Amino acid sequence: WQGRPCIVVTMGDARIQDPEDGKLRQVRRQAELSDDALAAFWRAASQVSWMHNGFQDMRVNAGSFQNLAHLHLKIFLPEQRFLEVW
């Protein structure tokens, strides 16, 4: 993301039925996930952070701040830690 070391956590193919038109769409908000799916989402973020010995910043793409219409989490990492792992 703009040249900064970053890992993005997404929900892959998680989809829900849109109440307005009945079509399937990607999950946009944490509240749309089951408890198990929400736990898995944050567990993935925790594992990424642990693998890199911490993080600098995490940003959830949600609500009116969405630049893409699906739930995802950007995890910004210290550059040296990122380079050591990747």
Side-chain angles (χ1 to χ4, degrees):
W1 188 75
Q2 297 182 355
R4 294 172 57 194
C6 176
I7 302 279
V8 178
V9 176
T10 69
M11 289 307 298
D13 290 332
R15 298 192 183 277
I16 62 168
Q17 191 169 18
D18 191 305
E20 292 182 20
D21 62 14
K23 295 180 182 178
L24 290 179
R25 66 167 173 79
Q26 291 184 324
V27 171
R28 295 188 67 183
R29 291 174 174 72
Q30 294 179 78
E32 295 171 342
L33 297 174
S34 68
D35 289 345
D36 289 342
L38 182 60
F41 180 74
W42 285 103
R43 192 169 30 257
S46 176
Q47 291 170 346
V48 167
S49 298
W50 179 83
M51 186 167 69
H52 293 88
N53 294 323
F55 62 93
Q56 290 179 324
D57 189 14
M58 284 190 190
R59 298 182 189 178
V60 175
N61 188 47
S64 60
F65 297 102
Q66 285 189 321
N67 57 349
L68 294 172
H70 70 274
L71 176 65
H72 66 275
L73 173 69
K74 295 174 187 157
I75 305 172
F76 297 95
L77 305 163
E79 184 172 5
Q80 188 57 41
R81 298 276 191 210
F82 181 84
L83 294 174
E84 288 171 3
V85 173
W86 300 104

